[in-house]
Amino acid sequence: ETGVTQTPRHLVMGMTNKKSLKCEQHLGHNAMYWYKQSAKKPLELMFVYNFKEQTENNSVPSRFSPECPNSSHLFLHLHTLQPEDSALYLCASSRPGLAGGPGANEQFFGPGTRLTVL
Amino acid sequence: KNQVEQSPQSLIILEGKNCTLQCNYTVSPFSNLRWYKQDTGRGPVSLTIMTFSENTKSNGRYTATLDADTKQSSLHITASQLSDSASYICVVTPANFGNEKLTFGTGTRLTIIP
């Protein structure tokens, strides 16, 4: 168990639906991330939160809306998605600011939410 | 543009055999290079981490090597087991950025058959 949980594990939604993905980390980390993983493509960073503040928005369409109410919880709100948004959405957390050392920059990932948009 | 390329894209080997996965990167300078293992339906889990000054790092049957001059890394798996079936992802952290600028490879899909 990595200490990062995600719900739901699977989600099927229509293009007009509104749904939310939830991520929770129990590791005491202060940075949380959303990634999109599509088949045969590298993980794509979507959003980064450090100490509840969004520090990175990687040109993600506005139909994806993140929310970070505290350093342990992260949400991804979805609305009017497209079929090409179908993918595995991974949440991760880390301790920011660690420079060097074996634990530097290690991100701990959740199991992901498999999203299918019809 | 920083890139990480992995080969082969997929690999099938018999249980008990050894294999080596390759990672070539253009990220420079870099802080560290990690190999992650991602089981089907799970998130990636870190296997090894090497800084730019390290040449090799082992974790049980997994041994990673790094050649910073040629910008190549490899992951060698010894005496493979069925549980080694997974995707293996090479990840490089640029030296001048924080956690959010990790560069991921596309991964190698490894299948171990009995």
Side-chain angles (χ1 to χ4, degrees):
Chain A
E1 180 57 57
T2 63
V4 180
T5 59
Q6 290 187 243
T7 56
R9 295 294 308 277
H10 301 272
L11 178 62
V12 179
M13 59 187 289
M15 290 191 288
T16 58
N17 291 158
K18 287 185 179 181
K19 296 287 184 183
S20 295
L21 310 185
K22 178 183 176 181
C23 175
E24 185 174 358
Q25 59 97 0
H26 312 275
L27 301 170
H29 292 163
N30 291 312
M32 297 187 76
Y33 313 77
W34 279 118
Y35 287 92
K36 176 183 180 182
Q37 187 176 33
S38 304
K40 298 185 179 180
K41 293 176 69 175
L43 268 72
E44 300 172 51
L45 179 65
M46 300 175 71
F47 301 104
V48 181
Y49 278 81
N50 277 301
F51 295 92
K52 302 187 297 178
E53 297 296 321
Q54 184 175 314
T55 57
E56 188 83 12
N57 177 340
N58 219 21
S59 302
V60 180
S62 59
R63 56 187 185 269
F64 295 92
S65 175
E67 178 189 0
C68 188
N70 55 63
S71 57
S72 298
H73 294 84
L74 185 64
F75 295 89
L76 188 62
H77 304 299
L78 317 170
H79 63 98
T80 59
L81 294 191
Q82 304 297 313
E84 59 264 29
D85 296 323
S86 298
L88 180 68
Y89 287 85
L90 290 163
C91 173
S93 70
S94 71
R95 276 198 213 97
L98 268 178
N105 310 111
E106 180 170 4
Q107 294 186 13
F108 292 80
F109 288 84
T113 294
R114 173 66 63 185
L115 174 66
T116 302
V117 181
L118 302 176
Chain B
K1 179 181 178 182
N2 288 335
Q3 286 188 311
V4 176
E5 296 184 355
Q6 294 186 242
S7 63
Q9 196 171 59
S10 61
L11 181 63
I12 301 173
I13 64 172
L14 289 172
E15 184 181 11
K17 298 296 185 181
N18 303 336
C19 66
T20 300
L21 314 180
Q22 300 291 343
C23 172
N24 296 335
Y25 59 92
T26 61
V27 181
S28 183
F30 77 98
S31 175
N32 58 64
L33 183 149
R34 289 183 185 275
W35 283 91
Y36 276 89
K37 178 186 179 188
Q38 184 175 17
D39 293 311
T40 301
R42 307 290 293 272
V45 176
S46 180
L47 284 176
T48 63
I49 176 175
M50 291 177 290
T51 64
F52 63 90
S53 61
E54 295 178 289
N55 300 120
T56 186
K57 185 67 67 75
S58 291
N59 178 2
R61 295 179 296 102
Y62 301 102
T63 299
T65 64
L66 174 63
D67 187 332
D69 292 330
T70 61
K71 295 186 173 57
Q72 294 179 323
S73 177
S74 65
L75 181 68
H76 186 75
I77 303 175
T78 305
S80 60
Q81 300 177 359
L82 296 178
S83 59
D84 293 330
S85 294
S87 288
Y88 292 83
I89 304 172
C90 178
V91 184
V92 182
T93 302
N96 300 326
F97 297 95
N99 294 341
E100 61 268 25
K101 297 298 184 182
L102 303 184
T103 304
F104 291 81
T106 54
T108 292
R109 177 69 204 175
L110 176 64
T111 302
I112 311 298
I113 55 176

PDB file of all heavy atoms in Angstrom, chain A residues 20-52:
ATOM      1  N   SER A  20     -16.554  13.703 -10.265  1.00  0.00           N
ATOM      2  CA  SER A  20     -15.329  14.119  -9.584  1.00  0.00           C
ATOM      3  C   SER A  20     -14.489  12.908  -9.201  1.00  0.00           C
ATOM      4  O   SER A  20     -15.028  11.876  -8.790  1.00  0.00           O
ATOM      5  CB  SER A  20     -15.669  14.916  -8.320  1.00  0.00           C
ATOM      6  OG  SER A  20     -16.302  16.123  -8.648  1.00  0.00           O
ATOM      7  N   LEU A  21     -13.192  13.073  -9.343  1.00  0.00           N
ATOM      8  CA  LEU A  21     -12.242  12.074  -8.874  1.00  0.00           C
ATOM      9  C   LEU A  21     -11.658  12.570  -7.553  1.00  0.00           C
ATOM     10  O   LEU A  21     -11.408  13.767  -7.388  1.00  0.00           O
ATOM     11  CB  LEU A  21     -11.108  11.872  -9.877  1.00  0.00           C
ATOM     12  CG  LEU A  21     -11.494  11.624 -11.332  1.00  0.00           C
ATOM     13  CD1 LEU A  21     -10.249  11.327 -12.164  1.00  0.00           C
ATOM     14  CD2 LEU A  21     -12.498  10.512 -11.453  1.00  0.00           C
ATOM     15  N   LYS A  22     -11.419  11.609  -6.653  1.00  0.00           N
ATOM     16  CA  LYS A  22     -10.906  11.984  -5.338  1.00  0.00           C
ATOM     17  C   LYS A  22      -9.583  11.279  -5.068  1.00  0.00           C
ATOM     18  O   LYS A  22      -9.394  10.114  -5.441  1.00  0.00           O
ATOM     19  CB  LYS A  22     -11.908  11.594  -4.246  1.00  0.00           C
ATOM     20  CG  LYS A  22     -11.446  11.910  -2.832  1.00  0.00           C
ATOM     21  CD  LYS A  22     -12.458  11.429  -1.805  1.00  0.00           C
ATOM     22  CE  LYS A  22     -11.954  11.656  -0.386  1.00  0.00           C
ATOM     23  NZ  LYS A  22     -12.919  11.159   0.630  1.00  0.00           N
ATOM     24  N   CYS A  23      -8.685  12.000  -4.434  1.00  0.00           N
ATOM     25  CA  CYS A  23      -7.387  11.454  -4.040  1.00  0.00           C
ATOM     26  C   CYS A  23      -7.125  11.851  -2.591  1.00  0.00           C
ATOM     27  O   CYS A  23      -7.375  12.995  -2.193  1.00  0.00           O
ATOM     28  CB  CYS A  23      -6.288  11.988  -4.950  1.00  0.00           C
ATOM     29  SG  CYS A  23      -4.614  11.489  -4.451  1.00  0.00           S
ATOM     30  N   GLU A  24      -6.594  10.900  -1.826  1.00  0.00           N
ATOM     31  CA  GLU A  24      -6.247  11.181  -0.443  1.00  0.00           C
ATOM     32  C   GLU A  24      -4.893  10.555  -0.136  1.00  0.00           C
ATOM     33  O   GLU A  24      -4.642   9.414  -0.505  1.00  0.00           O
ATOM     34  CB  GLU A  24      -7.313  10.613   0.497  1.00  0.00           C
ATOM     35  CG  GLU A  24      -7.098  10.952   1.964  1.00  0.00           C
ATOM     36  CD  GLU A  24      -8.254  10.501   2.848  1.00  0.00           C
ATOM     37  OE1 GLU A  24      -9.232   9.950   2.307  1.00  0.00           O
ATOM     38  OE2 GLU A  24      -8.172  10.698   4.071  1.00  0.00           O
ATOM     39  N   GLN A  25      -4.022  11.336   0.501  1.00  0.00           N
ATOM     40  CA  GLN A  25      -2.719  10.781   0.869  1.00  0.00           C
ATOM     41  C   GLN A  25      -2.551  10.814   2.383  1.00  0.00           C
ATOM     42  O   GLN A  25      -2.943  11.768   3.049  1.00  0.00           O
ATOM     43  CB  GLN A  25      -1.568  11.516   0.155  1.00  0.00           C
ATOM     44  CG  GLN A  25      -1.478  13.002   0.415  1.00  0.00           C
ATOM     45  CD  GLN A  25      -0.503  13.384   1.491  1.00  0.00           C
ATOM     46  OE1 GLN A  25       0.151  12.512   2.087  1.00  0.00           O
ATOM     47  NE2 GLN A  25      -0.369  14.665   1.763  1.00  0.00           N
ATOM     48  N   HIS A  26      -1.954   9.726   2.902  1.00  0.00           N
ATOM     49  CA  HIS A  26      -1.780   9.535   4.334  1.00  0.00           C
ATOM     50  C   HIS A  26      -0.307   9.548   4.700  1.00  0.00           C
ATOM     51  O   HIS A  26       0.115   8.912   5.665  1.00  0.00           O
ATOM     52  CB  HIS A  26      -2.405   8.193   4.747  1.00  0.00           C
ATOM     53  CG  HIS A  26      -3.788   7.978   4.219  1.00  0.00           C
ATOM     54  ND1 HIS A  26      -4.908   8.444   4.844  1.00  0.00           N
ATOM     55  CD2 HIS A  26      -4.224   7.356   3.086  1.00  0.00           C
ATOM     56  CE1 HIS A  26      -5.982   8.113   4.128  1.00  0.00           C
ATOM     57  NE2 HIS A  26      -5.594   7.453   3.062  1.00  0.00           N
ATOM     58  N   LEU A  27       0.498  10.259   3.918  1.00  0.00           N
ATOM     59  CA  LEU A  27       1.948  10.221   4.076  1.00  0.00           C
ATOM     60  C   LEU A  27       2.524  11.501   4.677  1.00  0.00           C
ATOM     61  O   LEU A  27       3.733  11.621   4.818  1.00  0.00           O
ATOM     62  CB  LEU A  27       2.602   9.957   2.703  1.00  0.00           C
ATOM     63  CG  LEU A  27       2.174   8.649   2.044  1.00  0.00           C
ATOM     64  CD1 LEU A  27       2.652   8.588   0.607  1.00  0.00           C
ATOM     65  CD2 LEU A  27       2.712   7.460   2.826  1.00  0.00           C
ATOM     66  N   GLY A  28       1.676  12.460   4.955  1.00  0.00           N
ATOM     67  CA  GLY A  28       2.159  13.716   5.514  1.00  0.00           C
ATOM     68  C   GLY A  28       2.867  14.596   4.508  1.00  0.00           C
ATOM     69  O   GLY A  28       3.626  15.490   4.887  1.00  0.00           O
ATOM     70  N   HIS A  29       2.626  14.351   3.226  1.00  0.00           N
ATOM     71  CA  HIS A  29       3.261  15.151   2.177  1.00  0.00           C
ATOM     72  C   HIS A  29       2.538  16.478   1.991  1.00  0.00           C
ATOM     73  O   HIS A  29       1.379  16.632   2.379  1.00  0.00           O
ATOM     74  CB  HIS A  29       3.269  14.382   0.854  1.00  0.00           C
ATOM     75  CG  HIS A  29       4.170  13.189   0.875  1.00  0.00           C
ATOM     76  ND1 HIS A  29       4.075  12.172  -0.056  1.00  0.00           N
ATOM     77  CD2 HIS A  29       5.196  12.848   1.691  1.00  0.00           C
ATOM     78  CE1 HIS A  29       5.009  11.269   0.193  1.00  0.00           C
ATOM     79  NE2 HIS A  29       5.694  11.655   1.246  1.00  0.00           N
ATOM     80  N   ASN A  30       3.240  17.413   1.350  1.00  0.00           N
ATOM     81  CA  ASN A  30       2.657  18.729   1.130  1.00  0.00           C
ATOM     82  C   ASN A  30       2.426  19.051  -0.338  1.00  0.00           C
ATOM     83  O   ASN A  30       1.895  20.110  -0.649  1.00  0.00           O
ATOM     84  CB  ASN A  30       3.569  19.801   1.735  1.00  0.00           C
ATOM     85  CG  ASN A  30       3.576  19.719   3.247  1.00  0.00           C
ATOM     86  OD1 ASN A  30       2.536  19.644   3.878  1.00  0.00           O
ATOM     87  ND2 ASN A  30       4.755  19.723   3.825  1.00  0.00           N
ATOM     88  N   ALA A  31       2.851  18.187  -1.223  1.00  0.00           N
ATOM     89  CA  ALA A  31       2.642  18.413  -2.648  1.00  0.00           C
ATOM     90  C   ALA A  31       1.808  17.276  -3.213  1.00  0.00           C
ATOM     91  O   ALA A  31       2.006  16.112  -2.870  1.00  0.00           O
ATOM     92  CB  ALA A  31       3.978  18.490  -3.385  1.00  0.00           C
ATOM     93  N   MET A  32       0.853  17.627  -4.067  1.00  0.00           N
ATOM     94  CA  MET A  32       0.007  16.622  -4.699  1.00  0.00           C
ATOM     95  C   MET A  32      -0.117  16.937  -6.180  1.00  0.00           C
ATOM     96  O   MET A  32      -0.033  18.104  -6.599  1.00  0.00           O
ATOM     97  CB  MET A  32      -1.373  16.563  -4.033  1.00  0.00           C
ATOM     98  CG  MET A  32      -1.298  16.139  -2.562  1.00  0.00           C
ATOM     99  SD  MET A  32      -2.903  15.857  -1.815  1.00  0.00           S
ATOM    100  CE  MET A  32      -3.344  14.259  -2.518  1.00  0.00           C
ATOM    101  N   TYR A  33      -0.313  15.881  -6.976  1.00  0.00           N
ATOM    102  CA  TYR A  33      -0.259  15.994  -8.430  1.00  0.00           C
ATOM    103  C   TYR A  33      -1.387  15.197  -9.074  1.00  0.00           C
ATOM    104  O   TYR A  33      -1.802  14.151  -8.560  1.00  0.00           O
ATOM    105  CB  TYR A  33       1.061  15.411  -8.967  1.00  0.00           C
ATOM    106  CG  TYR A  33       2.306  15.844  -8.248  1.00  0.00           C
ATOM    107  CD1 TYR A  33       2.651  15.295  -7.018  1.00  0.00           C
ATOM    108  CD2 TYR A  33       3.159  16.789  -8.806  1.00  0.00           C
ATOM    109  CE1 TYR A  33       3.795  15.689  -6.351  1.00  0.00           C
ATOM    110  CE2 TYR A  33       4.317  17.185  -8.152  1.00  0.00           C
ATOM    111  CZ  TYR A  33       4.629  16.633  -6.925  1.00  0.00           C
ATOM    112  OH  TYR A  33       5.762  17.029  -6.275  1.00  0.00           O
ATOM    113  N   TRP A  34      -1.845  15.673 -10.202  1.00  0.00           N
ATOM    114  CA  TRP A  34      -2.703  14.888 -11.094  1.00  0.00           C
ATOM    115  C   TRP A  34      -1.939  14.625 -12.387  1.00  0.00           C
ATOM    116  O   TRP A  34      -1.356  15.554 -12.985  1.00  0.00           O
ATOM    117  CB  TRP A  34      -3.995  15.625 -11.440  1.00  0.00           C
ATOM    118  CG  TRP A  34      -5.078  15.555 -10.413  1.00  0.00           C
ATOM    119  CD1 TRP A  34      -5.638  16.585  -9.719  1.00  0.00           C
ATOM    120  CD2 TRP A  34      -5.776  14.377  -9.975  1.00  0.00           C
ATOM    121  NE1 TRP A  34      -6.608  16.127  -8.870  1.00  0.00           N
ATOM    122  CE2 TRP A  34      -6.719  14.768  -9.007  1.00  0.00           C
ATOM    123  CE3 TRP A  34      -5.693  13.008 -10.296  1.00  0.00           C
ATOM    124  CZ2 TRP A  34      -7.571  13.866  -8.356  1.00  0.00           C
ATOM    125  CZ3 TRP A  34      -6.539  12.112  -9.646  1.00  0.00           C
ATOM    126  CH2 TRP A  34      -7.451  12.553  -8.690  1.00  0.00           C
ATOM    127  N   TYR A  35      -1.968  13.351 -12.812  1.00  0.00           N
ATOM    128  CA  TYR A  35      -1.378  12.940 -14.079  1.00  0.00           C
ATOM    129  C   TYR A  35      -2.434  12.244 -14.930  1.00  0.00           C
ATOM    130  O   TYR A  35      -3.330  11.589 -14.403  1.00  0.00           O
ATOM    131  CB  TYR A  35      -0.242  11.929 -13.870  1.00  0.00           C
ATOM    132  CG  TYR A  35       1.040  12.480 -13.314  1.00  0.00           C
ATOM    133  CD1 TYR A  35       1.276  12.506 -11.948  1.00  0.00           C
ATOM    134  CD2 TYR A  35       2.042  12.946 -14.161  1.00  0.00           C
ATOM    135  CE1 TYR A  35       2.463  12.989 -11.441  1.00  0.00           C
ATOM    136  CE2 TYR A  35       3.248  13.420 -13.664  1.00  0.00           C
ATOM    137  CZ  TYR A  35       3.452  13.444 -12.298  1.00  0.00           C
ATOM    138  OH  TYR A  35       4.637  13.914 -11.800  1.00  0.00           O
ATOM    139  N   LYS A  36      -2.244  12.332 -16.240  1.00  0.00           N
ATOM    140  CA  LYS A  36      -3.044  11.561 -17.186  1.00  0.00           C
ATOM    141  C   LYS A  36      -2.124  10.549 -17.848  1.00  0.00           C
ATOM    142  O   LYS A  36      -1.031  10.899 -18.321  1.00  0.00           O
ATOM    143  CB  LYS A  36      -3.654  12.472 -18.251  1.00  0.00           C
ATOM    144  CG  LYS A  36      -4.432  11.737 -19.331  1.00  0.00           C
ATOM    145  CD  LYS A  36      -4.939  12.698 -20.394  1.00  0.00           C
ATOM    146  CE  LYS A  36      -5.715  11.963 -21.489  1.00  0.00           C
ATOM    147  NZ  LYS A  36      -6.176  12.890 -22.570  1.00  0.00           N
ATOM    148  N   GLN A  37      -2.563   9.273 -17.862  1.00  0.00           N
ATOM    149  CA  GLN A  37      -1.769   8.231 -18.516  1.00  0.00           C
ATOM    150  C   GLN A  37      -2.597   7.593 -19.621  1.00  0.00           C
ATOM    151  O   GLN A  37      -3.571   6.895 -19.350  1.00  0.00           O
ATOM    152  CB  GLN A  37      -1.316   7.169 -17.511  1.00  0.00           C
ATOM    153  CG  GLN A  37      -0.349   6.156 -18.106  1.00  0.00           C
ATOM    154  CD  GLN A  37       0.179   5.169 -17.078  1.00  0.00           C
ATOM    155  OE1 GLN A  37      -0.510   4.803 -16.135  1.00  0.00           O
ATOM    156  NE2 GLN A  37       1.438   4.735 -17.241  1.00  0.00           N
ATOM    157  N   SER A  38      -2.207   7.850 -20.858  1.00  0.00           N
ATOM    158  CA  SER A  38      -2.861   7.256 -22.016  1.00  0.00           C
ATOM    159  C   SER A  38      -1.974   6.150 -22.558  1.00  0.00           C
ATOM    160  O   SER A  38      -0.757   6.139 -22.347  1.00  0.00           O
ATOM    161  CB  SER A  38      -3.086   8.309 -23.102  1.00  0.00           C
ATOM    162  OG  SER A  38      -3.819   9.402 -22.597  1.00  0.00           O
ATOM    163  N   ALA A  39      -2.602   5.230 -23.290  1.00  0.00           N
ATOM    164  CA  ALA A  39      -1.875   4.086 -23.836  1.00  0.00           C
ATOM    165  C   ALA A  39      -0.714   4.557 -24.708  1.00  0.00           C
ATOM    166  O   ALA A  39      -0.872   5.446 -25.543  1.00  0.00           O
ATOM    167  CB  ALA A  39      -2.818   3.199 -24.643  1.00  0.00           C
ATOM    168  N   LYS A  40       0.454   3.953 -24.475  1.00  0.00           N
ATOM    169  CA  LYS A  40       1.648   4.178 -25.288  1.00  0.00           C
ATOM    170  C   LYS A  40       2.139   5.620 -25.278  1.00  0.00           C
ATOM    171  O   LYS A  40       2.843   6.050 -26.191  1.00  0.00           O
ATOM    172  CB  LYS A  40       1.410   3.713 -26.730  1.00  0.00           C
ATOM    173  CG  LYS A  40       1.108   2.225 -26.838  1.00  0.00           C
ATOM    174  CD  LYS A  40       0.988   1.756 -28.262  1.00  0.00           C
ATOM    175  CE  LYS A  40       0.708   0.265 -28.305  1.00  0.00           C
ATOM    176  NZ  LYS A  40       0.577  -0.246 -29.685  1.00  0.00           N
ATOM    177  N   LYS A  41       1.759   6.375 -24.263  1.00  0.00           N
ATOM    178  CA  LYS A  41       2.253   7.742 -24.119  1.00  0.00           C
ATOM    179  C   LYS A  41       2.825   7.920 -22.720  1.00  0.00           C
ATOM    180  O   LYS A  41       2.391   7.252 -21.779  1.00  0.00           O
ATOM    181  CB  LYS A  41       1.119   8.755 -24.346  1.00  0.00           C
ATOM    182  CG  LYS A  41       0.596   8.775 -25.763  1.00  0.00           C
ATOM    183  CD  LYS A  41      -0.588   9.715 -25.908  1.00  0.00           C
ATOM    184  CE  LYS A  41      -0.226  11.147 -25.762  1.00  0.00           C
ATOM    185  NZ  LYS A  41      -1.366  12.052 -26.024  1.00  0.00           N
ATOM    186  N   PRO A  42       3.794   8.810 -22.553  1.00  0.00           N
ATOM    187  CA  PRO A  42       4.337   9.049 -21.204  1.00  0.00           C
ATOM    188  C   PRO A  42       3.283   9.676 -20.302  1.00  0.00           C
ATOM    189  O   PRO A  42       2.328  10.298 -20.783  1.00  0.00           O
ATOM    190  CB  PRO A  42       5.480  10.034 -21.451  1.00  0.00           C
ATOM    191  CG  PRO A  42       5.736  10.017 -22.913  1.00  0.00           C
ATOM    192  CD  PRO A  42       4.471   9.619 -23.567  1.00  0.00           C
ATOM    193  N   LEU A  43       3.473   9.537 -19.009  1.00  0.00           N
ATOM    194  CA  LEU A  43       2.590  10.235 -18.080  1.00  0.00           C
ATOM    195  C   LEU A  43       2.629  11.733 -18.376  1.00  0.00           C
ATOM    196  O   LEU A  43       3.694  12.307 -18.572  1.00  0.00           O
ATOM    197  CB  LEU A  43       3.036  10.010 -16.632  1.00  0.00           C
ATOM    198  CG  LEU A  43       2.415   8.845 -15.881  1.00  0.00           C
ATOM    199  CD1 LEU A  43       2.965   7.526 -16.400  1.00  0.00           C
ATOM    200  CD2 LEU A  43       2.657   8.969 -14.392  1.00  0.00           C
ATOM    201  N   GLU A  44       1.438  12.328 -18.393  1.00  0.00           N
ATOM    202  CA  GLU A  44       1.335  13.761 -18.638  1.00  0.00           C
ATOM    203  C   GLU A  44       0.938  14.460 -17.346  1.00  0.00           C
ATOM    204  O   GLU A  44      -0.128  14.180 -16.784  1.00  0.00           O
ATOM    205  CB  GLU A  44       0.261  14.047 -19.698  1.00  0.00           C
ATOM    206  CG  GLU A  44       0.513  13.394 -21.046  1.00  0.00           C
ATOM    207  CD  GLU A  44      -0.693  13.567 -21.957  1.00  0.00           C
ATOM    208  OE1 GLU A  44      -1.170  14.714 -22.100  1.00  0.00           O
ATOM    209  OE2 GLU A  44      -1.184  12.557 -22.507  1.00  0.00           O
ATOM    210  N   LEU A  45       1.784  15.368 -16.897  1.00  0.00           N
ATOM    211  CA  LEU A  45       1.458  16.136 -15.700  1.00  0.00           C
ATOM    212  C   LEU A  45       0.329  17.111 -16.025  1.00  0.00           C
ATOM    213  O   LEU A  45       0.381  17.830 -17.031  1.00  0.00           O
ATOM    214  CB  LEU A  45       2.685  16.904 -15.223  1.00  0.00           C
ATOM    215  CG  LEU A  45       2.502  17.781 -14.000  1.00  0.00           C
ATOM    216  CD1 LEU A  45       2.193  16.945 -12.766  1.00  0.00           C
ATOM    217  CD2 LEU A  45       3.744  18.629 -13.778  1.00  0.00           C
ATOM    218  N   MET A  46      -0.685  17.137 -15.167  1.00  0.00           N
ATOM    219  CA  MET A  46      -1.811  18.040 -15.369  1.00  0.00           C
ATOM    220  C   MET A  46      -1.749  19.221 -14.389  1.00  0.00           C
ATOM    221  O   MET A  46      -1.750  20.381 -14.803  1.00  0.00           O
ATOM    222  CB  MET A  46      -3.129  17.297 -15.184  1.00  0.00           C
ATOM    223  CG  MET A  46      -3.327  16.138 -16.146  1.00  0.00           C
ATOM    224  SD  MET A  46      -4.846  15.222 -15.786  1.00  0.00           S
ATOM    225  CE  MET A  46      -6.098  16.388 -16.317  1.00  0.00           C
ATOM    226  N   PHE A  47      -1.734  18.914 -13.114  1.00  0.00           N
ATOM    227  CA  PHE A  47      -1.767  19.958 -12.086  1.00  0.00           C
ATOM    228  C   PHE A  47      -0.830  19.599 -10.940  1.00  0.00           C
ATOM    229  O   PHE A  47      -0.622  18.430 -10.639  1.00  0.00           O
ATOM    230  CB  PHE A  47      -3.185  20.113 -11.523  1.00  0.00           C
ATOM    231  CG  PHE A  47      -4.232  20.464 -12.529  1.00  0.00           C
ATOM    232  CD1 PHE A  47      -5.124  19.492 -12.972  1.00  0.00           C
ATOM    233  CD2 PHE A  47      -4.353  21.752 -13.025  1.00  0.00           C
ATOM    234  CE1 PHE A  47      -6.097  19.795 -13.908  1.00  0.00           C
ATOM    235  CE2 PHE A  47      -5.327  22.078 -13.954  1.00  0.00           C
ATOM    236  CZ  PHE A  47      -6.200  21.091 -14.401  1.00  0.00           C
ATOM    237  N   VAL A  48      -0.306  20.655 -10.292  1.00  0.00           N
ATOM    238  CA  VAL A  48       0.525  20.482  -9.104  1.00  0.00           C
ATOM    239  C   VAL A  48       0.028  21.436  -8.035  1.00  0.00           C
ATOM    240  O   VAL A  48      -0.251  22.612  -8.314  1.00  0.00           O
ATOM    241  CB  VAL A  48       2.010  20.791  -9.396  1.00  0.00           C
ATOM    242  CG1 VAL A  48       2.845  20.584  -8.132  1.00  0.00           C
ATOM    243  CG2 VAL A  48       2.545  19.932 -10.522  1.00  0.00           C
ATOM    244  N   TYR A  49      -0.070  20.919  -6.829  1.00  0.00           N
ATOM    245  CA  TYR A  49      -0.397  21.743  -5.674  1.00  0.00           C
ATOM    246  C   TYR A  49       0.714  21.604  -4.653  1.00  0.00           C
ATOM    247  O   TYR A  49       1.114  20.490  -4.302  1.00  0.00           O
ATOM    248  CB  TYR A  49      -1.727  21.314  -5.047  1.00  0.00           C
ATOM    249  CG  TYR A  49      -2.938  21.870  -5.738  1.00  0.00           C
ATOM    250  CD1 TYR A  49      -3.446  21.278  -6.893  1.00  0.00           C
ATOM    251  CD2 TYR A  49      -3.569  23.018  -5.250  1.00  0.00           C
ATOM    252  CE1 TYR A  49      -4.548  21.806  -7.534  1.00  0.00           C
ATOM    253  CE2 TYR A  49      -4.685  23.540  -5.885  1.00  0.00           C
ATOM    254  CZ  TYR A  49      -5.166  22.933  -7.025  1.00  0.00           C
ATOM    255  OH  TYR A  49      -6.258  23.459  -7.665  1.00  0.00           O
ATOM    256  N   ASN A  50       1.229  22.727  -4.173  1.00  0.00           N
ATOM    257  CA  ASN A  50       2.187  22.762  -3.078  1.00  0.00           C
ATOM    258  C   ASN A  50       1.545  23.517  -1.929  1.00  0.00           C
ATOM    259  O   ASN A  50       1.172  24.678  -2.083  1.00  0.00           O
ATOM    260  CB  ASN A  50       3.483  23.460  -3.500  1.00  0.00           C
ATOM    261  CG  ASN A  50       4.432  22.536  -4.231  1.00  0.00           C
ATOM    262  OD1 ASN A  50       4.852  21.526  -3.695  1.00  0.00           O
ATOM    263  ND2 ASN A  50       4.754  22.882  -5.452  1.00  0.00           N
ATOM    264  N   PHE A  51       1.446  22.864  -0.790  1.00  0.00           N
ATOM    265  CA  PHE A  51       0.830  23.499   0.373  1.00  0.00           C
ATOM    266  C   PHE A  51      -0.534  24.100   0.009  1.00  0.00           C
ATOM    267  O   PHE A  51      -0.832  25.254   0.341  1.00  0.00           O
ATOM    268  CB  PHE A  51       1.749  24.578   0.951  1.00  0.00           C
ATOM    269  CG  PHE A  51       3.027  24.040   1.511  1.00  0.00           C
ATOM    270  CD1 PHE A  51       4.158  23.969   0.710  1.00  0.00           C
ATOM    271  CD2 PHE A  51       3.118  23.584   2.813  1.00  0.00           C
ATOM    272  CE1 PHE A  51       5.358  23.463   1.199  1.00  0.00           C
ATOM    273  CE2 PHE A  51       4.304  23.084   3.316  1.00  0.00           C
ATOM    274  CZ  PHE A  51       5.428  23.024   2.506  1.00  0.00           C
ATOM    275  N   LYS A  52      -1.322  23.331  -0.703  1.00  0.00           N
ATOM    276  CA  LYS A  52      -2.700  23.680  -1.099  1.00  0.00           C
ATOM    277  C   LYS A  52      -2.778  24.756  -2.182  1.00  0.00           C
ATOM    278  O   LYS A  52      -3.868  25.118  -2.602  1.00  0.00           O
ATOM    279  CB  LYS A  52      -3.544  24.133   0.099  1.00  0.00           C
ATOM    280  CG  LYS A  52      -3.656  23.125   1.219  1.00  0.00           C
ATOM    281  CD  LYS A  52      -4.642  23.591   2.285  1.00  0.00           C
ATOM    282  CE  LYS A  52      -4.181  24.864   2.935  1.00  0.00           C
ATOM    283  NZ  LYS A  52      -5.150  25.360   3.943  1.00  0.00           N
TER     284      LYS A  52
END
